[in-house]
């Protein structure tokens, strides 16, 4: 007894492709130590959140829907991907790579990663990262919180959730902003003839 991911007919026999999960098997979705802090305008391959999957038997991880809450929109964040985190350190390094199959998704309230093909034969806890790019013109102060309670493996039961920390878009360190000031300015420079200490320009300078 059990379930299988995919079958095909070969002559008079049924050949089974993929991982066969024993009846009563399960896989559990859970949080990692979630990344925190601001996400910077113009940054690429930013780790927004992460999760782990722990099966009771060898399984294939095939699908996931990731939900996004907050004020950030698709013009702020893009190119959302799932990476395998081989060493579970919460960062992209070494042999860590994007899972194959679904490709990058546009940032949205619900992002569907369907048809994952690279994550087969998972045993024990396996770690993943949700990675994206932040636009250079992303709105500072907009926020993003990622979560999921919807995923599929070849186990008979898939349960659990993950919820990332709220991440806030910010300007990179050292960024300076000049905006119009609140003071009064003369209508024309000629109106300042024979005038001392007059304001000719008002602006605010923020570092």
């Amino acid at each position: 007894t059990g379930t299988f991911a995919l079958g095909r007919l070969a002559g008079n026999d049924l050949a089974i492709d993929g991982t066969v999960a024993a009846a009563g098997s399960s896989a559990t979705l859970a949080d990692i130590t979630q990344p925190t802090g601001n996400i910077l305008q113009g940054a690429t391959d930013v780790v927004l959140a992460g999760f782990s999957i722990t099966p009771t038997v060898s399984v294939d991880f095939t699908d996931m829907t990731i939900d996004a809450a907050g004020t950030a929109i698709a013009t702020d964040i893009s190119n959302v991907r799932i990476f395998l985190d081989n060493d579970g350190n919460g960062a992209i390094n070494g042999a860590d790579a994007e899972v194959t199959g679904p490709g990058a998704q546009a940032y949205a309230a619900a992002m569907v990663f369907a048809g994952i093909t690279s994550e087969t034969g998972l045993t024990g806890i396996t770690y993943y990262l949700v990675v994206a790019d932040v636009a250079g013109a992303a709105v500072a102060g907009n926020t993003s919180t990622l979560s999921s309670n919807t995923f599929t493996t070849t186990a008979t039961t898939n349960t659990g959730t993950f919820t990332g920390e709220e991440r806030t878009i910010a300007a990179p360190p050292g960024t300076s902003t000049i905006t119009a000031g609140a003071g009064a300015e003369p209508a024309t420079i000629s109106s300042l003839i024979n005038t001392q200490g007059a304001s000719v320009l008002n602006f605010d300078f923020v570092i």
Side-chain angles (χ1 to χ4, degrees), residues 181-205:
E185 298 173 359
T188 63
I189 296 298
S190 62
S191 65
L192 301 179
I193 295 174
N194 297 323
T195 301
Q196 295 183 347
S199 173
V200 295
L201 179 64
N202 289 279
F203 62 88
D204 297 323
F205 185 71

Side-chain angles (χ1 to χ4, degrees), residues 39-66:
I39 53 177
L40 302 182
Q41 293 166 332
T44 58
D45 292 341
V46 177
V47 178
L48 296 179
F51 60 92
S52 66
I53 294 176
T54 305
T56 57
V57 296
S58 177
V59 301
D60 301 343
F61 168 38
T62 58
D63 303 278
M64 172 173 271
T65 298
I66 297 176

